[in-house]
Amino acid sequence: MATLLLTLFIPLAGSLLLLFFKKDNIQAIKYTALGISLFTFLISLFLFFSFDSANPGFQFVVEMVWIQAFDAGFRVGVDGMSMLLVMLTTFITPIAILSSFGSIEKRHKEYYVMILLLQFAMTGVFVALDLFLFYIFWEIILIPMYFIIGIWGGKDKLYAAIKFFLFTVVGSLFMLVAVVYLGYYVGSEILQMESGFTSNFLIIKDLGSAIPYDVQKWLFWGFALSFLIKVPIFPLHTWLPDAHTEAPTPGSVILAGVLLKMGTYGLIRFNLEMFPQASMSFASIISVFAVIGIIYGALVAMVQTDVKRLVAYSSVSHLGFVVLGIFSMTVEGIQGAVIQMVNHGLSTGMLFLCVGVLYERRHTREISEYGGIARVMPNFTVFFAIAMLASVGLPGLNGFVGEYLTLIGAFKSPILNSYWYTIIGTTGVIFAAVYLLWMFQRVMFGTNDNPKNYNLKDMNKREWTMMVPIVIFIVWIGVYPSTFLKISENSTRLLVNKIELLKFGKSTYELPGYENPAEKQETE
Amino acid sequence: MWNDLLMGSPVYLSAALAIIIILVDAFSGKNKSLTFYFALVSLIAVGIMSAYTINMNGQPLPEGAFSNGMIAYGGVSAVFDILFVIAGILTLFASESYMRAQNVERKEFYSLILFAVCGMSTIAHANNMLILFVGIEIMSITFYIMAGFFRERFTSVEAALKYFLLGAFATGFLIYGMALIYGATGGLLDFEAIGAKMLTGNVDFLYLKIGFALLIVGLSFKVAAFPFHQWAPDVYQGAPTMATAFMSTAGKAAALAALILVTKAMLPMNFDPALISDKIIEMTDFTSDARWLIAIISALTMLVGNISAVVQKNVKRMLAYSSVAHAGYLLMGIVSNSINGWSGIVFYSMAYMFMQIGAFVVVGIIEKNDGRMDLKDYTGLSKTNPMLAAMMGIFMFSLAGIPPFGGFPGKYMLFIAAIESGFTWLTIVAVISTIISIYFYIGLIVFMYFKDSETPMTEKFGFSKATLTLVISTIFVILLGIFPTYLIDLVKGLF
C-alpha cells in the first residue's frame, strides 16, 4: 500500500525538490532527476514483486476522502493491467531522463521539473480509481508535455505544442461532461445517494451495465472520444506526427512509450468496464477505424522522408492493433493489447532513442542525408536493428507476441464476428516490414557517400546504458512472454467474463481460485 | 436588537469606515501611508465581523433579517462579504505600487475601495428590492469614479463616461423591473414575500414576467452578460488596471449575489401540492421561462466572450472578454437554481477572484507607465522574470479550467449543477466555449515561454506590496484547486 503511494509521489516530491536547486548547477540537477527516477523504479519493483497476480481485483487500494461534496476521493490501486503500465512508466522515465542528458541544452532546471511532474501524472492516470482523480491526472499531463514540446522542441514546436494541447483538451472536456453526467446518474438515479453524486470508480464499474443503453451510448462516446484522440486512432491522429516530430527525443520517448497508452488503457478500464453494452454495439465501428489506422499509418509511414516522422506514423499503425485487440473483447485480444502496449512502449521508445542518437550527431533526420552508417557505427546498428525488428514483429522479439494475440483475438471474437478485421489487419504487419526494413536499409546500409557521415562516433557509455535494459525486456517478452502475460491475465479474464455473461448469459472463461462476483450474484 | 446590530455589522461597519476614511485622508496631511493602513485595518475589521457571522463549523447561525426584514444577515451573505473584503485587500496591496508606477498617487483610491465594499455588502445582504437597488447604486457609482480615476488620461475618462451612461441605462431597466414586480404582486418588495405571494396569492403573471425580465436585463448589465456586455471590454481596458481587477471580480460577484437572492426567492422549485392546479401550471411556466431566459443569456455570453477574446492583441482586453465569458459560466449556477448551483457560484467567484486579480497584477507590473499591454510585450518573460511568468502561467491555466488549479473544481461544480437540473446542453456549450478559450489562455503562455524576445525586458521587478497580492493569489489558486473541500462544504452548508 505504502509502496504504491511512494511510486506515485516520489516523482512529485522530486520535482518540487528540484525547484530549490540553483539554475546553474546543471550537473546536480541532472543527476538528482535521474536518481529520483531510478529510486522510483526501485520502489516500483517492490510493488511488482508483492503483487498477487492470481487476484483479478484491485490491490494496494488506498481510499481517502477528498472532496466530500461530490464524493470525489483519493482512491488509488492497481490490477494486473495497470501494474504492467505503472512498471512501464517507472522503467521508461529514467531512460528518457538519461537520453535528455544529450538532447536538452537549455533551461535544464525547468526541464527536469517538468519530466518528473509528467511521471507523477502518468503514474496517477494508471492508478486512479476515482473518475474525478483520474480526470485531474489526465489533465495535469497536458501542462508538462505542452512545455516540453513547446520549449525544447524542434523548429515548428509552437504549432505542434498548441495542436497537441487543443486536440487533447477537446477530447478531455467532453470526457469531463461524461464524468459529471455519469456521476450524477449513478449517484442520483441508480443509487439515490444523499450527495446525489459519486465519482467512485469502484462503485460505478459494477453498476455501469445497469445504465440504460440510451444513456450509455452517449457516455461511451464522451469517454471514447477522449481516449481515441489520445491513442490516436484514424482520423483523429493528426496531432501525433507533429507532436512526435517536434518534441525533443525524451519527449518522443515518453509520448510513444507511455502517453499514448493512456488512451488504450482508458478504453479498457473505463469504456469496456463501465459501458459493456455500448462497447459491444460500437465495437465494430471502432475496429473498422482501427484497421483503417493500421493500413493508413503504414502507407503514410512508407513515404516519409524524415525518420522520426516515419516512426511516428508507425505508431498510428501499431496502436491500431491495440485498439483492435481491445474491441475484440476476448481474453486473447485484450491480453494482446495490454502486452502490445508495453511492447510498443519499449520498441518504439527505443526507435526514438536511436533516431535521437543519430540526430545528436548530425542534427538532421532526413533519410536521404544518411546511408552506410553501419560501417562507422557498428554497435549502434545492432541496437537499431533490434528495435526495428521488434517493431516489425519478428518472432522471438516482443512485437510478435502482442500482434499475434490481438489478431487471434479479433479472429475468434464473437462480438466482431468477422474474419475481415484480422485479414486486413494482418497485411499491416507486412507493410510494417516493408517501411521499416526499407528505412533501415536506406539509413544504415549502402554506400557511405556523405562526407559528413564519414567520422560519426559510435555509441558512448550513456547510450549503451539507455539501450541495454530495453533490449533485455524486448528479448524477454519475445521469448518468454508469460512472465508478463500472467500478471494481467486474471484481471482480463474477470473483465471478459463480465462482458460475456452480459452478452450470452454464460462465459467461456473461468477465474481460477477466485469466486466470480458476477456468478455469485446470480446464485444468490 | 443588539444581536441584530452585531450580525448586521458588516454592512454598517463598511459604511461607517468608508466615510471615516475620507476624513482620515483629509486630515492625514503629509503622512502618506496612514490612509493605506487605515483602509487595510478597516477591511480586516469588516472581514472579521463577517467571519463572525458565519459559523465555521459549517452550520449557519440562525439566519435572520432586521430593519423590518429588509436586510438579511449571516449565511451566504457573510461569505460574499468575506469575498469582497479579500478582493479589497488584494486590490489595496496591488494598487499602492501600481499607482506609484503610474505617477498617480492619490489616496482617494483607497476610500473608493471601501465604498465599493460597502455597496457590495449591501447587495449581498439585501432582502428587499430597495436595499438591493441602493447597494447596486453605491457600488456602481464607486466604479464609475474608479474607472475614471486617471482623469488626465483620455482612455480612462472615456471608460468612465461609457460605464456611466450604460450603467445609467441599466439602472433604468432595473428600477422599471422592480416597479413592475411591485405592481404585479400588489405592492411587495421583500424577496420572500414576493415568492410566497406568487405561490398563494393573486399575482398578475404577465407583468411579473416582464418585470422579472427587465430585472434580469438590469443585472445582466452589471455582470456584463451578453448582449449587455458591450461596455465591459472598453471600460475594463480604459480603467486603471487595479480598478479593473477589482470591478471584474468583486463587482461581478456582487451582481451574482443579487441574482442568487432574486432568483432563489422568485423561482421556487418545490411547490406545495395543495395549490390549485392552474396556479401550479402558471408557476411552472414562469420558472421554466425564467430559467430558459437565463440559460440562453448564459450560453451566448460564454460563446461571445470567448470568441471575441481569441482575436484580441491587448492582454487587458483579452482578460476583459474572458471575464465576460466567465460571467456566462457563473450564470449556469443561476440557471440550475439549486444548492449545488449557488454554492458553485460562490466557490467559482472566490477562485475567479484570486486568479483574475493575480493576472491583472501581472498586467499592472508589465504595464509600468508606458502602457505596455500587448501580447508581444510578454515575449520571453519566462527568461527575464521566471517567477512572474510562472505565476501568470498558473493564472492562465486556472482561468482555462485546467486542474489542479482553482478554476477547475468551480467549473466542475457548475457542470454538476447544470446537468442535475437537466441543462446538459448548457454544459456542452460551456465545454465548447472552454475549448475556444484555451486557445487564447495558452496563447499568452506561448508568448511568455516559447518565444524569444528581440528586445528583452531588462529591468527587474523588485519586491513591493503587489508581490504580496501575487503570492497570496497564487497560493490560493493552488490551494483551492487541490483542497477545495473546505470551502465547498462551508458554502454548501449555508444554503
Side-chain angles (χ1 to χ4, degrees), chain A residues 66-70 107 132 135 139 146-147 150-151 158 165 169-170 173 176-177 179-181 184 197, chain B residues 382 402-403 408 412-413 415-416 419-420 424 431 435 438-439 442 445-446 449-451 482 484-485 488 492:
Chain A
W66 183 21
I67 307 167
Q68 190 122 44
F70 31 88
R107 299 166 89 167
F132 184 82
Y135 184 80
E139 289 281 271
Y146 171 66
F147 282 115
I151 298 181
L158 269 185
F165 202 96
V169 154
V170 168
L173 282 169
L176 178 62
V177 179
V179 166
V180 175
Y181 197 95
Y184 155 72
F197 193 88
Chain B
S382 66
I402 299 205
F408 174 67
Y412 194 79
M413 286 178 80
F415 282 9
I416 291 180
I419 284 177
E420 252 175 7
T424 310
V431 160
I435 292 167
I438 288 191
Y439 187 81
I442 67 167
I445 295 174
V446 165
Y449 277 89
F450 300 171
K451 290 192 174 175
I482 301 175
T485 187
I488 294 175
K492 271 198 153 182

Side-chain angles (χ1 to χ4, degrees), chain B residues 195-196 198-200 268-281 283-284:
Chain B
M198 280 160 67
L199 286 172
T200 51
M269 295 300 288
N270 302 314
F271 310 125
D272 187 354
L275 287 177
I276 14 171
S277 60
D278 60 329
K279 198 82 197 168
I280 292 186
I281 293 168
M283 270 309 297
T284 332

Side-chain angles (χ1 to χ4, degrees), chain B residues 157-220:
Chain B
V157 175
E158 184 198 353
L161 194 63
K162 264 188 187 160
Y163 198 3
F164 174 68
L165 288 176
L166 288 166
F169 268 114
T171 305
F173 281 114
L174 202 65
I175 198 85
Y176 196 16
M178 286 175 181
L180 280 173
I181 293 171
Y182 181 78
T185 52
L188 288 179
L189 285 170
D190 270 7
F191 294 150
E192 271 149 32
I194 294 171
K197 178 88 182 240
M198 280 160 67
L199 286 172
T200 51
N202 187 16
V203 176
D204 190 329
F205 270 96
L206 177 65
Y207 290 112
L208 189 73
K209 272 185 189 175
I210 302 174
F212 185 80
L214 289 174
L215 195 70
I216 294 296
V217 168
L219 289 173
S220 296

Side-chain angles (χ1 to χ4, degrees), chain B residues 274-322:
Chain B
L275 287 177
I276 14 171
S277 60
D278 60 329
K279 198 82 197 168
I280 292 186
I281 293 168
E282 275 181 322
M283 270 309 297
T284 332
D285 198 28
F286 174 69
T287 41
S288 100
D289 279 1
R291 290 170 77 195
W292 269 89
L293 173 74
I294 303 169
I296 290 165
I297 293 177
S298 156
L300 291 172
T301 308
M302 294 186 250
L303 287 172
V304 170
N306 280 327
I307 291 171
S308 317
V310 168
V311 294
Q312 302 305 323
K313 297 267 183 295
N314 181 305
V315 175
K316 212 167 152 190
R317 219 174 154 75
M318 181 191 98
L319 286 173
Y321 273 111
S322 102

Side-chain angles (χ1 to χ4, degrees), chain B residues 395-417:
Chain B
F395 298 140
M396 288 299 124
F397 280 123
S398 180
L399 282 166
I402 299 205
F405 303 117
F408 174 67
K411 214 168 245 178
Y412 194 79
M413 286 178 80
L414 290 171
F415 282 9
I416 291 180

Side-chain angles (χ1 to χ4, degrees), chain A residues 419-447:
Chain A
Y419 302 141
W420 283 106
Y421 300 102
T422 314
I423 293 168
I424 302 175
T426 313
T427 57
V429 184
I430 302 167
F431 284 137
V434 175
Y435 64 80
L436 282 167
L437 285 169
W438 190 35
M439 178 271 290
F440 191 73
Q441 183 214 327
R442 282 181 293 167
V443 173
M444 305 309 287
F445 299 137
T447 50

Side-chain angles (χ1 to χ4, degrees), chain A residues 213-507:
Chain A
Y213 178 74
D214 277 345
V215 180
Q216 235 183 64
K217 65 180 182 198
W218 290 107
L219 293 174
F220 175 87
W221 282 111
F223 279 90
L225 184 67
S226 171
F227 298 143
L228 292 175
I229 288 176
K230 201 72 159 197
V231 170
I233 200 163
F234 176 87
L236 305 170
H237 65 282
T238 62
W239 64 270
L240 179 85
D242 290 316
H244 263 321
T245 317
E246 298 307 326
T249 305
S252 302
V253 172
I254 288 186
L255 201 57
V258 186
L259 236 61
L260 304 184
K261 311 307 175 302
M262 288 162 33
T264 44
Y265 169 79
L267 286 173
I268 304 178
R269 171 69 75 239
F270 297 102
N271 283 63
L272 257 52
E273 188 99 54
M274 297 191 302
F275 318 115
Q277 287 99 333
S279 301
M280 281 183 248
S281 68
F282 295 121
S284 31
I285 300 179
I286 293 179
S287 300
V288 166
F289 280 107
V291 172
I292 294 176
I294 295 176
I295 304 295
Y296 171 87
L299 289 178
V300 179
M302 225 173 271
V303 296
Q304 295 305 315
T305 55
D306 179 319
V307 192
K308 211 170 171 188
R309 241 185 141 72
L310 184 144
V311 179
Y313 273 107
S314 86
S315 290
V316 176
S317 179
H318 282 122
L319 284 158
F321 288 103
V322 180
V323 175
L324 184 63
I326 292 171
F327 280 94
S328 73
M329 302 196 197
T330 54
V331 169
E332 290 85 352
I334 295 177
Q335 279 283 73
V338 174
I339 200 78
Q340 185 64 1
M341 288 187 221
V342 178
N343 290 339
H344 180 262
L346 297 173
S347 49
T348 308
M350 187 161 160
L351 274 177
F352 277 121
L353 286 176
C354 291
V355 177
V357 167
L358 280 179
Y359 186 78
E360 275 168 38
R361 285 165 177 68
R362 282 289 323 278
H363 290 279
T364 176
R365 292 185 301 251
E366 286 298 313
I367 296 176
S368 57
E369 286 281 320
Y370 297 101
I373 303 293
R375 295 204 191 140
V376 282
M377 301 173 75
N379 294 334
F380 173 70
T381 311
V382 175
F383 282 106
F384 198 5
I386 293 172
M388 187 269 298
L389 291 172
S391 194
V392 168
L394 185 79
L397 298 178
N398 62 355
F400 177 72
V401 182
E403 277 172 10
Y404 184 74
L405 278 172
T406 55
L407 289 169
I408 289 273
F411 192 77
K412 61 180 279 194
S413 161
I415 282 148
L416 294 178
N417 200 16
S418 160
Y419 302 141
W420 283 106
Y421 300 102
T422 314
I423 293 168
I424 302 175
T426 313
T427 57
V429 184
I430 302 167
F431 284 137
V434 175
Y435 64 80
L436 282 167
L437 285 169
W438 190 35
M439 178 271 290
F440 191 73
Q441 183 214 327
R442 282 181 293 167
V443 173
M444 305 309 287
F445 299 137
T447 50
N448 185 353
D449 48 11
N450 188 340
K452 290 179 195 154
N453 293 341
Y454 288 164
N455 295 315
L456 292 184
K457 286 207 172 58
D458 207 348
M459 289 175 37
N460 57 29
K461 268 190 203 141
R462 179 176 62 82
E463 285 156 354
W464 275 90
T465 329
M466 343 190 271
M467 304 261 192
V468 170
I470 302 187
V471 172
I472 293 173
F473 280 100
I474 284 181
V475 177
W476 188 346
I477 297 178
V479 177
Y480 194 71
S482 62
T483 323
F484 303 93
L485 284 173
K486 77 168 201 281
I487 301 285
S488 58
E489 186 171 352
N490 281 329
S491 308
T492 313
R493 278 174 186 262
L494 182 67
L495 175 64
V496 174
N497 190 289
K498 181 174 147 187
I499 292 170
E500 291 200 336
L501 282 176
L502 264 176
K503 173 92 176 169
F504 307 109
K506 63 179 169 45
S507 175

